[in-house]
């Protein structure tokens, strides 16, 4: 769901046990899941676009967005 509640997107069977975090512009969502015993951080476009994932060792918890320095 967009941060304003207007659009919903199915994230699939991810094993998520925490809430996703919306990007500041409301166009993407980041969430953590576990796949094959590894933590996976996924950023997904909410307009039906691409999803990018990065796996890591251990459990990934509570991903959040941050501003990039100017």
């Amino acid at each position: 769901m967009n941060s304003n509640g207007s659009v919903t997107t199915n994230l699939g069977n991810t094993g998520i046990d925490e809430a996703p975090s919306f990007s500041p512009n409301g166009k993407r969502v980041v969430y953590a899941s576990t796949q094959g015993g590894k933590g996976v951080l996924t950023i997904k476009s909410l307009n039906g676009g691409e999803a990018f994932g990065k796996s890591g060792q251990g459990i990934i918890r509570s991903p959040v967005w941050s501003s990039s320095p100017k």
Side-chain angles (χ1 to χ4, degrees):
M1 176 180 300
N2 281 346
S3 55
N4 67 6
S6 64
V7 177
T8 59
T9 300
N10 184 352
L11 298 177
N13 185 12
T14 63
I16 297 173
D17 61 357
E18 298 181 35
S21 175
F22 293 94
S23 64
N25 65 8
K27 294 183 179 183
R28 293 181 179 84
V29 64
V30 62
Y31 56 91
S33 62
T34 302
Q35 298 174 6
K38 292 187 177 185
V40 178
L41 184 67
T42 302
I43 298 173
K44 182 172 179 134
S45 170
L46 294 176
N47 66 3
E50 301 175 2
F52 300 94
K54 179 69 177 167
S55 64
Q57 295 195 359
I59 297 170
I60 299 173
R61 296 243 187 238
S62 303
V64 295
W65 295 92
S66 67
S67 300
S68 56
K70 296 190 180 217

